[in-house]
Amino acid sequence: MKLYYVPGACSLAPHIALREAGLAFALDKMDPATRRTADGEDYLKVNPKASVPALRLDNDEVLTEVAVILQYIADQKPDAGLAPAAGRMERYRLAEWLNYISSEVHKQLGPFFNPKLPPAWRENQLSLLAKRFDILAERLKNQPYLMGDRFTVADAYLFVVLNWTNLFKLDMGKWPALTDYLGRIAARPAVQAALKAEGLAQ
């Protein structure tokens, strides 16, 4: 498999999941300015949506959309415990969290990447995010991971998007459960390896 990524983007989540699962994979860094990859591919031919991540499978099919790719990775190595088995209620609970992270956290943080974000819009986003952070903090105040005692692909995704709060210098002091969570996930060996591979850590 080959994972197309941009350092620190949401593609970091499947990168972490691949390492957590112990799967063999290659990395190909995409330049957002040129839409070319480090291996010389035209990324728009890989993924016409132009966004990362994309995962090229061994049969040359390409999967896109982070929540889908994460579940695919988890299903390639069920023994790694990165997702409950398909058909179980716990799997639908995992899907709930993946969708919540995608639509209510990722998409609310995304505008902060725009340096021209108007102050009024920034304040609106912060107000929305505070409500999301309250929900997440309540979930995580008495358990280490979103699904309980076990790390899943939902945690890989949430870690990546919550970590953007550091990039945007957002004050997370009101949510110690979330700052503790970020530190806990960051300490995992697979997460450290992924961060180093993307040039985001020493």
Side-chain angles (χ1 to χ4, degrees), residues 41-199:
E41 293 186 64
D42 177 353
Y43 188 66
L44 292 177
K45 292 182 178 177
V46 176
N47 179 13
K49 300 171 186 173
S51 59
V52 291
L55 185 68
R56 188 179 295 281
L57 310 183
D58 293 338
N59 66 2
D60 215 35
E61 285 191 56
V62 174
L63 272 180
T64 63
E65 304 304 323
V66 63
V68 173
I69 293 172
L70 286 169
Q71 292 180 83
Y72 176 84
I73 291 168
D75 287 339
Q76 302 316 294
K77 194 74 174 290
D79 291 348
L82 295 174
R88 294 175 55 194
M89 180 54 71
E90 291 87 350
R91 183 58 174 260
Y92 300 110
R93 296 299 183 195
L94 176 74
E96 274 186 321
W97 282 116
L98 289 170
N99 280 275
Y100 186 78
I101 297 163
S102 176
S103 64
E104 303 301 327
V105 187
H106 182 169
K107 291 303 180 187
Q108 303 303 333
L109 277 166
F112 287 89
F113 282 104
N114 179 0
K116 297 180 181 179
L117 185 67
W121 186 245
R122 177 184 171 88
E123 289 306 310
N124 179 70
Q125 293 304 108
L126 289 172
S127 176
L128 291 172
L129 283 166
K131 296 172 185 176
R132 280 41 171 189
F133 292 163
D134 286 345
I135 291 169
L136 292 167
E138 180 66 24
R139 177 71 175 184
L140 292 164
K141 71 179 183 180
N142 294 317
Q143 61 187 47
Y145 305 112
L146 282 171
M147 295 287 289
D149 292 330
R150 184 150 202 156
F151 177 93
T152 68
V153 291
D155 297 295
Y157 192 8
L158 183 59
F159 168 78
V160 171
V161 295
L162 280 184
N163 206 39
W164 294 341
T165 61
N166 293 315
L167 177 65
F168 304 138
K169 296 180 171 52
L170 303 184
D171 183 5
M172 297 295 285
K174 183 182 174 184
W175 301 281
L178 299 187
T179 56
D180 290 349
Y181 174 79
L182 282 172
R184 187 161 54 249
I185 304 298
R188 295 178 69 86
V191 175
Q192 282 295 305
L195 291 171
K196 288 176 183 176
E198 295 195 12

